[in-house]
Amino acid sequence: MTEIIVVTSGKGGVGKTTTSASLATGLAKRGHKVAVIDFDVGLRNLDLIMGCERRVVYDFVNVIHNEATLKQALIRDKRLDNLYVLAASQTRDKDALTQEGVGRVLDELAADGFDFVICDSPAGIEKGAHLAMYFADRAVVVVNPEVSSVRDSDRILGLLASKTRHAERGDGPMKQHLLLTRYNPVRVEAGEMMSVKDVEEILGIPVLGVIPESEQVLAASNSGVPVIHDASSIAGQAYGDAVARLDGEEIELRFIDAPRKGFFKRMFGT
Amino acid sequence: MKLLDFLRARPKNTADIARERLRIIVAQERATRGGPDYLPLLRGELLAVIRKYVNVDPDAVQVNVERDGQHEVLELSVALPEQKLAVSGER
């Protein structure tokens, strides 16, 4: 059975694409056949984060409009041969996506034996974001520990509960996961940033993972290699944990506590 | 210098402020979610009418739809300001 997972947030710039790339890569590394789709028509970016921007010939919109076959548009990852990217169109506007067309592509992916389809949602609550979540079986809500991101995420939770196929069929609440990104345990400890617990309590959905703020995330996007490939980075390891949890494992959260400083260091050191 | 920093009063815990503000706004937005689209407009117009006669707070008018089995209940509550007759009488 194919599981469709939407990566969404409402607010822009919180790490949806970074997360989509790493979750898709991580699931593929675990042996699943995975496709990751960029729904941000007009502002294609997933291809850059996945490092396949120069291999895009046909895109999602071409497939929807029957200008290319799905096979022609799926870009096979250069590291993992069970991972495929479907790029967004760079030239069309967001009306180029249709519900019927998106549904058809997802059905075709299911028929092709994909285990997971990751839908990378655009920011906002317009058509692209709506269609990215509409067919989903599960949702990963990406949140920064910051007021506007949390509030927008709650709005998205409302839409997930009402404006999706899952909700329309009356299948009960969709499985929703909270993924906190740009988490800084030192600032949390100093009372400058909300904690995992705070955000979890406000939004009321279980935590899938906490990705610590890390320089390696920028380094990874600079080089077009999803950060989960970087086993030496804490962000990469945290994504690895999140993927394992998504895949049903139970693992304790890591990297959520500030490194301990000794008494003297706190008093006199920097 | 570090010693002085340590002894000085701790800066305000802004994470707590954020959490409290979010708690309130999220609860408020969830309460109106799922209700009919006209609720905010209805609330605004009711507020305008009430304000013609009584100077109430913008938060004084609450409009909620509650589902009770088969039927829905539209609940209106208006908090009137406290009487300040004595004060206004002296002026």
Side-chain angles (χ1 to χ4, degrees):
Chain A
M1 203 199 88
T2 309
E3 197 158 17
I4 302 167
I5 302 177
V6 58
V7 176
T8 180
S9 71
K11 191 175 180 297
V14 297
K16 280 182 299 295
T17 301
T18 300
T19 297
S20 300
S22 275
L23 294 186
T25 302
L27 287 166
K29 275 173 115 176
R30 293 172 71 89
H32 301 292
K33 188 175 178 188
V34 184
V36 54
I37 306 179
D38 190 348
F39 275 76
D40 204 347
V41 172
L43 293 169
R44 167 203 292 176
N45 273 322
L46 178 68
D47 55 336
L48 269 179
I49 304 301
M50 294 294 294
C52 63
E53 69 278 7
R54 295 181 57 189
R55 293 193 288 140
V56 180
V57 181
Y58 295 109
D59 59 54
F60 192 20
V61 172
N62 292 138
V63 181
I64 284 178
H65 291 254
N66 295 314
E67 295 153 356
T69 63
L70 180 59
K71 250 193 190 75
Q72 287 174 308
L74 282 175
I75 305 163
R76 188 192 284 248
D77 187 73
K78 55 188 167 202
R79 293 174 195 85
L80 300 163
D81 56 14
N82 50 341
L83 174 60
Y84 295 82
V85 179
L86 191 50
S89 163
Q90 185 67 298
T91 50
R92 310 286 187 90
D93 62 41
K94 55 184 185 298
D95 293 328
L97 293 180
T98 61
Q99 184 159 310
E100 179 272 327
V102 173
R104 210 181 62 229
V105 171
L106 292 172
D107 285 344
E108 207 173 319
L109 288 169
D112 273 355
F114 277 86
D115 300 309
F116 288 98
V117 178
I118 308 290
C119 301
D120 181 21
S121 172
I125 51 175
E126 311 264 315
K127 193 166 188 184
H130 168 70
L131 288 176
M133 72 167 69
Y134 183 75
F135 294 96
D137 303 304
R138 284 156 91 178
V140 173
V141 182
V142 182
V143 185
N144 286 170
E146 172 270 326
V147 285
S148 48
S149 173
V150 175
R151 183 204 210 167
D152 290 356
S153 299
D154 191 64
R155 178 97 172 82
I156 289 294
L157 293 181
L159 296 176
L160 286 169
S162 58
K163 302 275 197 271
T164 54
R165 184 173 66 170
H166 192 93
E168 285 172 7
R169 282 177 175 172
D171 290 348
M174 181 191 299
K175 202 163 183 189
Q176 296 155 341
H177 307 274
L178 170 63
L179 188 87
L180 262 181
T181 55
R182 301 230 170 83
Y183 196 70
N184 187 330
V186 175
R187 301 196 72 184
V188 170
E189 200 144 294
E192 297 168 358
M193 183 182 272
M194 283 180 285
S195 69
V196 192
K197 206 169 133 267
D198 291 341
V199 180
E200 192 182 12
E201 267 175 28
I202 292 164
L203 293 178
I205 58 172
V207 177
L208 176 74
V210 178
I211 313 301
E213 195 165 46
S214 157
E215 291 167 7
Q216 304 317 120
V217 176
L218 181 59
S221 75
N222 283 343
S223 40
V225 181
V227 69
I228 196 168
H229 276 301
D230 183 358
S232 67
S233 78
I234 52 172
Q237 292 170 37
Y239 270 120
D241 288 1
V243 168
R245 291 187 199 105
L246 201 60
D247 209 10
E249 280 184 37
E250 279 186 31
I251 305 178
E252 223 168 294
L253 288 175
R254 291 194 281 170
F255 318 115
I256 54 170
D257 295 315
R260 290 262 70 85
K261 278 186 179 179
F263 175 77
F264 282 100
K265 205 159 190 184
R266 264 191 292 154
M267 284 294 164
F268 307 106
T270 49
Chain B
M1 289 317 272
K2 266 275 163 181
L3 186 62
L4 282 178
D5 285 350
F6 190 76
L7 294 174
R8 222 179 280 151
R10 300 220 70 164
K12 222 175 184 175
N13 189 321
T14 55
D16 286 349
I17 301 173
R19 191 185 57 222
E20 285 318 306
R21 289 175 63 214
L22 278 168
R23 222 172 242 169
I24 293 164
I25 192 71
V26 164
Q28 195 182 323
E29 286 171 354
R30 281 185 182 181
T32 51
R33 187 185 295 162
D37 293 341
Y38 60 74
L39 277 191
L41 199 63
L42 174 66
R43 188 179 161 278
E45 288 184 17
L46 279 171
L47 185 66
V49 171
I50 292 166
R51 277 187 154 180
K52 274 193 198 169
Y53 303 95
V54 192
N55 190 17
V56 295
D57 222 49
D59 293 332
V61 179
Q62 296 293 336
V63 182
N64 285 314
V65 175
E66 282 186 16
R67 202 155 288 148
D68 183 13
Q70 286 292 313
H71 51 273
E72 289 180 333
V73 178
L74 178 66
E75 180 189 86
L76 297 177
S77 97
V78 183
L80 295 175
E82 282 176 40
Q83 297 281 339
K84 290 180 187 158
L85 291 175
V87 181
S88 52
E90 277 172 9
R91 273 189 190 159

